[in-house]
Amino acid sequence: MISLDDLKALARPAETKVVLLVMDGLGGLPRTFDGKTELEAAQTPNLDAMAAQGTLGLADPVAPGITPGSGPGHLGLFGYDPLQFRIGRGVLEAVGIDLRLTDEDLAARGNFCSVDSQGLITDRRAGRIPTEVCTRLCGLLEKIQIPGVELIVRPVREHRFVVLFRGAGLEEGLSETDPQEVGKPPLSVHAEAPHAGHAAEVANLFVTGARKALADQHPANMVLLRGFSKYPKIPKLTEIYGVKAGVLAVYPMYRGLARLVGMEAVKAGDTVADEFTALETNFARFDFFFVHIKKTDSYGEDGNFENKVHVIEEVDREIPRLLALKPDVVVVTGDHSTPAAHKAHSWHPVPVLLWSRWCRPDEAKGFSERECRFGGLGHVHAAQLLPLMMGYAERLAKFGA
Amino acid sequence: MISLDDLKALARPAETKVVLLVMDGLGGLPRTFDGKTELEAAQTPNLDAMAAQGTLGLADPVAPGITPGSGPGHLGLFGYDPLQFRIGRGVLEAVGIDLRLTDEDLAARGNFCSVDSQGLITDRRAGRIPTEVCTRLCGLLEKIQIPGVELIVRPVREHRFVVLFRGAGLEEGLSETDPQEVGKPPLSVHAEAPHAGHAAEVANLFVTGARKALADQHPANMVLLRGFSKYPKIPKLTEIYGVKAGVLAVYPMYRGLARLVGMEAVKAGDTVADEFTALETNFARFDFFFVHIKKTDSYGEDGNFENKVHVIEEVDREIPRLLALKPDVVVVTGDHSTPAAHKAHSWHPVPVLLWSRWCRPDEAKGFSERECRFGGLGHVHAAQLLPLMMGYAERLAKFGA
């Protein structure tokens, strides 16, 4: 695969506009051996017309057989090999609630949990306390004093929170405190990387402080910390390709992932139609647009085939508004597959539709997994799609003379 | 490609059963431009039905254009990049006769040969002496005394034998003694690697000893040694994926290759039907099964198109017995192509059929090289198939959050 340095050397300015439209978990499965996938079952006249003019393919987000999480799935679509660039779970959770991390921050995912009088865990999720209680308790945790360290503790939902340890010399590479079962005490943190000793001390001080601060707060009278991680060093899209990139996403996680690679988040509203309105509103402001549709994935995870089909159809109805903006390159795809039949992310390759005036038309009958098998893009690694988009957008100079 | 370390980190236990059914040298060629390959000519209603439900593809065992030997061909199918993990011929021959190697062993392939009174080779295969004679002469060779080295000399078949030099400091990287033509004397061994000097001395002492020990044994009055090699350090399938793996193979070479990666060999009988009976008998004992069918390759090498077709048909007739066991994932493929028209292993990609409840059906008309071109697996590296099988078997956790 071509390196980001090589791509950066080839990048050249252009007036072209590129839209990456991601239906989260788009790839599907038939419910029976002879049935249709969600995308095949959906009535998508507009996407089908684009497929007839465009070039199709299938993409592996990480590698054949590997099921991606949302982080790796999107990093791949943004042109980064997810096996090379890894985002820790603490960071992912932090960007998911719109926290902006600095280089001095060590992030961790937190759970409130219940412990008995001996300090043994009786409920790893503290009875899923309401988010309002979580918010109040985060306030208590933020008051813990650790010399040289600023604490930012923010609620996520129910028993889940994020803690940022902000201070010099806090390196990642820490063990987790969650023993993953009840009847045991929370584990103490130890350094698993050479320079993480100070961070381990800080994390243990926080845990000790939390035990005192929460003593009277049963069922949420203790915390478990996981996924200690720093903000990854990722070259930004702007630095590589010189594009001004914007993200339109209803859910904060995806705005956060896009910010990681240098995109600017704009107000996207709450519905699919809102997102396309935001695209119209902001179309002059950016060269590159990442539009994220969440609910294809949510319904896939619920095993709700019909509603996943309906979301795809809802997106299809907005396609004329997208094309009316006269984008130069449009890619419609997913960050991974979430077949309703599987009720979870899966390893299946993702259908890809690339549309531009420079396409060799595939003359496909429609946009579907089975048509994508025959597409002119072939079977690619997802991280190859962004260079492809930039190529079709005439934003990459000739390599060599 | 994803690393074995990453795969190990993702591996998770499951109750699923995976069967890798390898028809050695399966890939073929038409005899004329408009003809059919062996697989296409074969009547395979059961494999065709699996192809209609499953997902097809083409696999390159090593790299495009590269013709694999049996070792690399199988290592690829077991999920190891054959360009990274290399098995010497001495080791391959040794595992092929069920020898268990230690880390101190240097293995070599041996031939008995005939030399004249001047020591010039008159027959590189000693008139293909009967295996019983080979066995008796190996006993003579094993009596050769080399200080600090234990010798294990075992017959293979006819004029072929294996010698293990067991002792400290015996490194690989030696030249061969076979001049590859008659009328020349056997070559002496020299070190081609920095630390192989001691091993070269030992090998030359053995050759000198063999010349004396065999002086009266014409036509088998001398030896030729090739393929000096040590046991490769390969992480076992069990270590990586946590599967209990069994091999069902009529020929010892394939049991030996499978043992290299941690499979347990079970009694497989002599015929294709025997192997499927052994599969039934042992189905409860393992998570992963490698079933090896040899004769597709043998007939391919003989240029016997019809008999290769018959072996494929013989395997097809056993497929209902396989499916009756209710495996979760089945892959049917070859370790390389051996087109009867070519009478040798070839570089052509190998047809792959993956069948599981989680397949997007390819609706293929049958299992054939031409249908595999349109398969949903695409054109993959053979070493990607094992992670794919583990993915379909739900034995890999999500990568990232």
Side-chain angles (χ1 to χ4, degrees), chain A residues 31 36-44 295-296 299-300 304-317 340:
Chain A
R31 284 169 292 188
K36 293 179 171 180
T37 68
E38 296 89 324
L39 181 57
E40 290 162 0
Q43 298 292 318
T44 54
K295 294 212 161 153
T296 29
Y299 287 123
N304 192 331
F305 190 99
E306 289 74 14
N307 278 8
K308 186 174 168 192
V309 167
H310 291 153
V311 177
I312 296 168
E313 292 176 339
E314 190 181 350
V315 172
D316 187 76
R317 284 192 294 274

Side-chain angles (χ1 to χ4, degrees), chain B residues 7-334:
Chain B
L7 287 166
K8 182 175 177 175
L10 294 176
R12 66 176 182 189
E15 296 295 307
T16 49
K17 302 264 187 189
V18 179
V19 178
L20 171 62
L21 172 57
V22 174
M23 288 187 256
D24 202 301
L26 177 63
L29 278 176
R31 285 169 291 187
T32 60
F33 270 131
D34 54 357
K36 292 178 171 181
T37 68
E38 296 89 322
L39 180 57
E40 290 163 1
Q43 297 293 319
T44 54
N46 296 305
L47 289 169
D48 294 346
M50 287 177 80
Q53 298 179 341
T55 305
L56 306 180
L58 287 171
D60 286 313
V62 178
I66 306 305
T67 299
S70 296
H74 281 91
L75 272 197
L77 290 179
F78 301 158
Y80 304 86
D81 181 351
L83 292 168
Q84 183 187 349
F85 295 94
R86 305 199 180 199
I87 307 176
R89 289 177 179 251
V91 169
L92 203 62
E93 196 86 340
V95 299
I97 55 166
D98 277 346
L99 283 181
R100 311 298 169 95
L101 278 73
T102 73
D103 286 345
E104 284 209 321
D105 291 354
L106 180 69
R109 297 172 73 183
N111 272 14
F112 288 102
C113 67
S114 311
V115 293
D116 63 18
S117 58
Q118 292 175 289
L120 305 180
I121 298 167
T122 56
D123 183 340
R124 289 175 55 243
R125 294 182 184 83
R128 294 187 184 273
I129 50 169
T131 304
E132 308 83 69
V133 176
C134 180
T135 303
R136 180 176 59 78
L137 296 179
C138 284
L140 294 182
L141 295 180
E142 218 169 58
K143 294 201 184 94
I144 295 170
Q145 296 293 322
I146 303 174
V149 175
E150 180 186 352
L151 287 178
I152 294 108
V153 187
R154 293 292 148 80
V156 177
R157 207 172 50 198
E158 297 177 339
H159 56 289
R160 288 161 48 206
F161 65 90
V162 170
V163 51
L164 300 186
F165 301 93
R166 183 166 291 171
L170 296 173
E171 295 298 322
E172 62 185 6
L174 300 185
S175 68
E176 308 191 326
T177 77
D178 187 347
Q180 298 284 344
E181 50 185 316
V182 297
K184 294 194 170 174
L187 307 171
S188 65
V189 178
H190 60 267
E192 293 177 335
H195 301 293
H198 175 51
E201 281 171 29
V202 166
N204 283 322
L205 285 174
F206 178 79
V207 171
T208 306
R211 190 190 303 273
K212 284 183 200 154
L214 301 174
D216 300 328
Q217 304 294 338
H218 188 84
N221 60 353
M222 188 48 182
V223 297
L224 297 172
L225 299 180
R226 291 184 292 162
F228 293 94
S229 45
K230 307 262 300 180
Y231 204 67
K233 287 180 179 59
I234 301 182
K236 305 285 185 277
L237 285 186
T238 317
E239 296 162 21
I240 303 169
Y241 302 102
V243 291
K244 194 159 185 290
V247 45
L248 300 95
V250 172
Y251 282 65
M253 160 83 83
Y254 307 95
R255 294 197 294 268
L257 281 166
R259 277 204 197 94
L260 271 175
V261 302
M263 295 193 214
E264 181 185 330
V266 299
K267 204 170 154 54
D270 297 317
T271 66
V272 170
D274 286 348
E275 293 187 79
F276 282 85
T277 302
L279 182 66
E280 291 167 342
T281 310
N282 291 282
F283 202 67
R285 289 187 56 207
F286 300 100
D287 309 304
F288 182 93
F289 301 84
F290 160 46
V291 183
H292 180 265
I293 309 293
K294 174 63 184 171
K295 294 212 162 154
T296 28
D297 179 60
S298 315
Y299 286 123
E301 295 216 323
D302 292 346
N304 192 331
F305 190 99
E306 289 74 14
N307 277 8
K308 186 175 167 190
V309 167
H310 291 153
V311 177
I312 296 169
E313 292 176 340
E314 190 181 351
V315 171
D316 186 76
R317 284 192 294 274
E318 304 293 339
I319 293 293
R321 292 173 68 190
L322 165 59
L323 295 184
L325 295 169
K326 302 203 178 302
D328 296 279
V329 180
V330 178
V331 160
V332 186
T333 187

Side-chain angles (χ1 to χ4, degrees), chain A residues 27-30 33 64-72 82-83 86 89 92 337 341-342 347-349 369-370 373-374 379, chain B residues 2 6-7 10 53 355-363 374-378 384 387-388 391-392 394 396-401:
Chain A
L29 278 176
F33 270 131
I66 307 302
T67 298
S70 296
L83 291 167
R86 304 197 179 199
R89 287 175 185 247
L92 203 64
S337 296
H342 189 65
W347 58 90
H348 298 86
E369 286 86 350
R370 66 192 74 193
R373 285 182 297 146
F374 309 117
H379 197 123
Chain B
I2 190 164
D6 276 330
L7 287 166
L10 294 176
Q53 298 179 341
W355 180 93
S356 108
R357 63 175 291 212
W358 297 119
C359 282
R360 282 184 193 144
D362 279 348
E363 301 177 342
F374 308 119
L377 296 181
Q384 296 176 312
L388 266 168
Y392 277 86
E394 299 177 82
L396 297 176
K398 191 161 66 174
F399 175 75

Side-chain angles (χ1 to χ4, degrees), chain A residues 65 134 146 185-186 192 250 275 281-282 302 312 329-330 338-339 380:
Chain A
C134 179
I146 303 175
E192 293 177 335
V250 172
E275 293 187 81
T281 311
N282 292 282
D302 293 347
I312 296 168
V329 180
V330 178
T338 308
V380 297

Side-chain angles (χ1 to χ4, degrees), chain A residues 191-327:
Chain A
E192 293 177 335
H195 302 293
H198 174 52
E201 282 170 28
V202 166
N204 283 322
L205 286 173
F206 178 79
V207 171
T208 308
R211 189 190 303 274
K212 285 182 198 152
L214 302 173
D216 301 329
Q217 304 294 336
H218 189 84
N221 59 353
M222 189 46 181
V223 297
L224 298 172
L225 300 181
R226 292 184 292 162
F228 293 95
S229 45
K230 307 262 301 179
Y231 206 66
K233 287 179 179 59
I234 300 181
K236 305 286 185 277
L237 285 187
T238 317
E239 296 162 23
I240 304 168
Y241 302 102
V243 291
K244 194 159 185 292
V247 46
L248 301 94
V250 172
Y251 283 64
M253 161 83 84
Y254 307 95
R255 294 196 294 268
L257 282 167
R259 279 204 197 94
L260 272 175
V261 301
M263 295 193 214
E264 182 185 328
V266 299
K267 204 171 154 54
D270 297 317
T271 66
V272 169
D274 287 349
E275 293 187 81
F276 281 85
T277 302
L279 182 66
E280 291 167 342
T281 311
N282 292 282
F283 202 67
R285 289 186 57 207
F286 300 100
D287 309 304
F288 182 94
F289 302 83
F290 160 46
V291 183
H292 181 264
I293 309 293
K294 173 64 183 170
K295 294 212 161 153
T296 29
D297 178 61
S298 316
Y299 287 123
E301 294 217 323
D302 293 347
N304 192 331
F305 190 99
E306 289 74 14
N307 278 8
K308 186 174 168 192
V309 167
H310 291 153
V311 177
I312 296 168
E313 292 176 339
E314 190 181 350
V315 172
D316 187 76
R317 284 192 294 274
E318 304 294 339
I319 292 294
R321 293 173 67 191
L322 165 59
L323 296 184
L325 295 168
K326 303 204 177 300

